């Protein structure tokens, strides 16, 4: 026997009595308990039960109208109800119980302002364990970098397909220990720097620059990017003034140079080797441990550098994450709070990894 619910406009919930607590909440994780056997359902939960035929109708207390699924969905205000319902229904079909994060039954889900708390398979809201803090957006909803938080981002595209992204605050670490020389002869060119006969270890062990081929030297001649050269100049490894190299970088790249230099510097300080990520559409590809260029393994991360106030389009996130996954790497976004070219402090950069997730 199906039941009817009553929409309470004052509280915004659908109240269902009779044996609703046992039938919907205790056995299937819908809503939260009220007095006796009555439960309160969020609109999206009531809509799902209407859609499945588990509720006969929802009666609007204010008007007396008896609403089926179509009528109930049509009366829901706001433009996000449709995408919320699609994700709710999808995760229910995958075997998850989930509750709107605003329900009193859910205690402070991780990830800040989220739409649903998703419980591990086989568990419900009374078990005190959350698998995912879930945020839902449509494909045309921008994502401010400041809103990134630990959890899962579900993006619903224009054809109602859903893509899930796991967002994790990341702290890249490495173990590439290097000893740097000093006073290496170098020449500043238009958009790079040439190092004349540096110690071979600078390339072979620390992976700075690329050798200039076709000439026979006991020591290599290295071509370095302006980022590499600025880092080396700041540490007196090469005989160029840091300010001169930085100024050339600003001429070539504009404001991006200081921001990328901050991230490059922090990665090197974390004993990670960053190299250009140009062929992957990123700022850097990174190696956590380099013992020898001759035995170099695959890079692990692709890093995109953005100001802390950046705003992402979901399709750009999808493109970056898809590309990284296709080349067996993890996409990391480095958000730079300050980009004045000074030596970065740890608090100046936030690191967020974003990966595709199949719930």
């Amino acid at each position: 026997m199906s039941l009817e619910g009553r929409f309470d406009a004052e509280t915004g919930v659908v109240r269902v009595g009779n044996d609703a607590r046992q039938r919907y909440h205790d056995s299937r994780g819908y809503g939260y308990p009220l007095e006796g056997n009555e439960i309160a359902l969020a609109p999206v939960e009531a809509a799902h039960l209407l859609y499945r035929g588990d509720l006969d109708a929802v009666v609007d207390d204010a008007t007396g109208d008896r609403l089926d699924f179509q009528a109930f969905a049509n009366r829901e205000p706001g433009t996000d109800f449709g995408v919320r319902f699609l994700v709710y229904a999808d995760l229910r079909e995958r075997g998850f119980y989930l509750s709107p994060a605003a329900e009193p039954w859910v205690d402070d889900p991780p990830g800040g302002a989220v739409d649903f708390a998703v419980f591990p398979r086989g568990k419900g809201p009374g078990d005190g364990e959350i698998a995912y803090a879930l945020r839902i957006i449509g494909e045309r909803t921008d994502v401010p970098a400041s809103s990134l938080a630990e959890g899962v981002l579900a993006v619903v595209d224009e054809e109602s397909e859903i893509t899930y992204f796991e967002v994790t605050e990341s702290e890249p670490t490495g173990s590439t220990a290097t000893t740097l020389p000093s006073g290496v002869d170098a020449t500043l060119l238009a958009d790079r720097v040439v190092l004349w006969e540096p110690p071979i270890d600078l390339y072979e062990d620390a992976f700075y620059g690329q050798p200039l081929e076709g000439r026979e030297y006991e020591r290599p001649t290295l071509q370095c990017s302006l980022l590499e050269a600025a880092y080396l100049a700041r540490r007196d490894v090469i005989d160029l003034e840091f300010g001169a190299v930085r100024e050339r970088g600003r001429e070539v790249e504009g404001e991006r140079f200081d921001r990328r230099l901050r991230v490059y510097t922090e990665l090197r300080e974390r004993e990670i080797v960053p190299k250009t990520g140009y062929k992957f559409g990123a700022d850097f590809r990174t190696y956590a441990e380099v013992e020898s260029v001759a035995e170099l393994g695959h890079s692990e991360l692709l890093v995109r550098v953005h100001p802390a106030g950046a705003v992402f389009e979901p399709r750009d996130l999808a493109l970056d994450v898809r590309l990284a996954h296709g080349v067996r790497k993890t996409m990391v976004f480095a958000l730079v709070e300050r980009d004045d070219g000074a030596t970065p402090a740890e608090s100046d950069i936030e690191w967020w990894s974003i990966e595709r997730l199949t719930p």
Side-chain angles (χ1 to χ4, degrees), residues 69-87:
F69 171 71
Q70 180 178 345
F72 185 78
N74 286 341
R75 67 162 297 285
E76 277 301 309
T79 59
D80 64 343
F81 181 78
V83 295
R84 284 165 53 84
F85 176 79
L86 288 169
V87 173

Side-chain angles (χ1 to χ4, degrees), residues 172-183:
T173 58
S175 56
T176 305
T178 58
T179 301
L180 296 176
S182 61

Side-chain angles (χ1 to χ4, degrees), residues 32-210:
Y32 58 91
L34 299 174
E35 293 182 2
N37 290 322
E38 192 176 33
I39 64 171
L41 300 171
V44 70
E45 294 174 302
H48 191 247
L49 289 170
L50 286 169
Y51 177 75
R52 290 175 52 87
D54 292 323
L55 273 181
D56 277 338
V58 171
V59 177
D60 190 327
D61 276 354
T63 65
D65 292 338
R66 193 170 180 273
L67 309 174
D68 60 10
F69 171 71
Q70 180 178 345
F72 185 78
N74 286 341
R75 67 162 297 285
E76 277 301 309
T79 59
D80 64 343
F81 181 78
V83 295
R84 284 165 53 84
F85 176 79
L86 288 169
V87 173
Y88 184 90
D90 180 67
L91 288 171
R92 277 280 180 177
E93 289 299 314
R94 293 172 184 263
F96 290 97
Y97 293 166
L98 60 161
S99 293
E103 287 190 356
W105 194 254
V106 180
D107 294 328
D108 297 324
V114 297
D115 293 289
F116 294 112
V118 183
F119 309 108
R121 283 190 176 91
K123 295 184 180 294
D127 295 313
E129 186 177 348
I130 294 175
Y132 310 119
L134 185 71
R135 181 182 173 194
I136 302 166
I137 61 172
E139 70 164 282
R140 297 182 181 86
T141 302
D142 289 341
V143 181
S146 59
S147 73
L148 291 177
E150 296 263 356
V152 174
L153 181 67
V155 181
V156 182
D157 69 22
E158 64 184 1
E159 294 186 352
S160 300
E161 295 286 338
I162 304 167
T163 302
Y164 296 94
F165 297 101
E166 186 169 21
V167 183
T168 307
E169 192 164 12
S170 173
E171 288 292 335
T173 58
S175 56
T176 305
T178 58
T179 301
L180 296 176
S182 61
V184 174
D185 185 21
T187 300
L188 177 60
L189 303 180
D191 63 351
R192 65 203 63 217
V193 169
V194 176
L195 277 59
W196 304 104
E197 300 189 17
I200 188 67
D201 292 350
L202 193 63
Y203 171 72
E204 287 291 347
D205 295 342
F207 204 6
Y208 285 95
Q210 291 291 334

